[in-house]
Amino acid sequence: DLLFRLPTRYDDRRHLVRIADLEVGRRATFAAQVRTADLVPGRGKTGAFRRVLHAIVSDDTGSIELTWFRGGDALLPTLRKGVQVLVTGDVRRYRFSKQLLHPEIEVQGAGAEGDEAAVAALRQIVPEYAAVEGVAPRALRRAIQCAVDEYADLVEGHLPESVVRARGLPDPPAALIAIHHPE
């Protein structure tokens, strides 16, 4: 089932945007440094108390707020001041400033200079899959990648060989690898 759970879209993380160039309503990936991160008490739609994670990250062109309404307790320890992160998400406007809700982050390391080699290693096309309740997107992506790495070569084709040759189609294992790990 994991092999045939196909991506719904791809995030092209090869081209990073500066914070100053982020556009509201667009999905973007940028490298930044954590300035602050803290859990703030608040009320949800039902009136129940919950803790919201707010982080401010910046690059040499500006800063932006990242917000998570759930999962903040687990994420907070990784968002230490000075840590370099790669952030991907949809840019939104909140009041008079830009913000990302529930962005995906990849922690790079500490230091004001950041680790350019580590950031460059994460610049790739990343498949996005339809959400599965109770499974984090990154965990689902890892499970699918394991399935592709271990089992894609076992998938057999069902089309007649003459059709495959005439249309220049790849064999099923190569097609699955290309779909889940595009170049």
Side-chain angles (χ1 to χ4, degrees):
D1 288 348
L2 289 173
L3 290 174
F4 292 99
R5 184 171 194 86
L6 304 179
T8 56
R9 70 174 179 202
Y10 299 93
D11 278 333
D12 188 351
R13 298 181 183 178
R14 297 174 297 175
H15 308 288
L16 300 183
V17 177
R18 300 177 319 154
I19 289 176
D21 297 331
L22 293 174
E23 296 178 30
V24 173
R26 302 208 52 161
R27 190 165 183 83
T29 299
F30 58 93
Q33 186 177 43
V34 176
R35 296 295 176 200
T36 65
D38 199 14
L39 288 168
V40 178
R43 288 189 183 262
K45 291 180 181 177
T46 63
F49 282 102
R50 65 177 174 189
R51 296 175 4 145
V52 178
L53 176 58
H54 291 281
I56 304 292
V57 298
S58 66
D59 64 10
D60 58 351
T61 67
S63 61
I64 192 166
E65 181 179 4
L66 313 178
T67 303
W68 293 266
F69 292 107
R70 56 189 179 282
D73 292 326
L75 197 54
L76 182 61
T78 63
L79 293 176
R80 295 178 316 278
K81 183 177 181 175
V83 169
Q84 189 76 12
V85 292
L86 190 68
V87 182
T88 301
D90 296 317
V91 181
R92 300 171 189 246
R93 181 159 313 279
Y94 178 70
R95 296 187 178 160
F96 298 106
S97 60
K98 297 174 187 173
Q99 161 185 85
L100 279 81
L101 294 179
H102 296 277
E104 188 168 332
I105 62 164
E106 297 286 343
V107 177
Q108 301 307 305
E113 298 301 314
D115 186 357
E116 289 300 320
V119 171
L122 290 173
R123 290 183 182 178
Q124 57 185 326
I125 297 175
V126 178
E128 294 291 329
Y129 300 94
V132 175
E133 188 174 343
V135 180
R138 187 176 300 160
L140 179 60
R141 209 170 27 250
R142 270 192 238 123
I144 291 171
Q145 180 168 347
C146 276
V148 169
D149 293 345
E150 294 292 323
Y151 304 110
D153 62 329
L154 302 175
V155 176
E156 296 178 5
H158 298 288
L159 293 175
E161 189 62 36
S162 60
V163 172
V164 172
R165 272 195 315 273
R167 297 189 183 249
L169 300 175
D171 63 331
L176 285 170
I177 291 168
I179 287 171
H180 292 289
H181 305 291
E183 293 180 16

